[in-house]
Amino acid sequence: MLIQLTYASRTSKTLVPEDLKNILASSQRNNARVGVTGALCLANGIFLQQLEGDRTAVSLLYHRILLDPRHRDPAILDFAEIASRKFTQWSMGSLASLESNRAIYLKYSRSASFDPYTMSPTTLRAFFDEIMHNAAWVS
Ligand code: FAD
């Protein structure tokens, strides 16, 4: 069964670009092996990640990610069956800086600062649909 899991967490310290590069590199390597795809955003010290794939594979991966000391305060925001994947291009894609995607972040925010913890599943799905087509990504 194909599912998507969306969660948010806070960075546990100020991350340097190298941290994000490492997270992305291990994500791409590991996710490709287990058939998980998805997208990772980092804005205002908050990670927002959507994972899609087999229910068991996504669940096992999420529980491993939870153990990572580079973030804290994880919260599952959406968990649902999906008919098909969105992020077929990436085992894990990462959104470019907040500055380069500011208009998209603002479009789905209630306030001036992007806060995924307050977003509904409907808004989150619309956000991920939009970034799929219109966002700037880390190349
Ligand atoms: P390696 O990548 O070789 O790393 C070895 C060990 O060192 C791991 O235990 C790792 O946690 C730790 N480590 C490396 N760098 C640091 C650092 N700077 N600070 C603290 N510990 C460090 N992994 C995935 O496989 N798929 C994902 O989609 C994914 N998404 C993530 C999203 C977020 C927000 C975060 C914070 C982490 C994510 N990770 C993801 C990383 C995951 O938590 C594990 O670190 C990774 O899966 C371990 O991969 P590895 O066994 O190949 O170890």
Side-chain angles (χ1 to χ4, degrees):
M1 179 176 147
L2 201 54
I3 62 105
Q4 78 180 17
L5 185 156
T6 307
Y7 76 90
S9 62
R10 294 181 202 285
T11 57
S12 52
K13 57 179 174 105
T14 306
L15 296 186
V16 295
E18 195 63 22
D19 290 317
L20 202 57
K21 238 172 95 184
N22 289 341
I23 290 171
L24 203 56
S26 38
S27 301
Q28 288 170 344
R29 191 177 58 242
N30 296 329
N31 296 2
R33 221 172 24 227
V34 294
V36 171
T37 46
L40 177 67
C41 319
L42 175 61
N44 301 329
I46 300 176
F47 285 115
L48 174 64
Q49 188 174 32
Q50 187 167 83
L51 302 167
E52 39 181 39
D54 173 69
R55 178 168 54 187
T56 304
V58 169
S59 183
L60 285 171
L61 173 60
Y62 178 64
H63 283 95
R64 191 169 81 235
I65 293 172
L66 287 184
L67 302 175
D68 197 307
R70 289 168 286 189
H71 63 162
R72 61 186 168 85
D73 304 340
I76 292 178
L77 306 176
D78 188 19
F79 181 88
E81 181 181 3
I82 48 173
S84 62
R85 296 169 193 260
K86 249 192 311 281
F87 298 104
T88 48
Q89 308 291 325
W90 297 284
S91 51
M92 188 50 58
S94 182
L95 234 63
S97 67
L98 174 62
E99 288 66 37
S100 41
N101 288 303
R102 193 170 285 286
I104 294 181
Y105 281 120
L106 184 61
K107 183 171 174 184
Y108 295 93
S109 295
R110 289 189 319 181
S111 65
S113 61
F114 185 67
D115 182 1
Y117 286 97
T118 64
M119 289 166 74
S120 72
T122 304
T123 305
L124 284 163
R125 287 175 201 185
F127 172 76
F128 279 101
D129 280 342
E130 167 120 25
I131 63 169
M132 174 68 216
H133 300 291
N134 297 330
W137 295 85
V138 172
S139 52

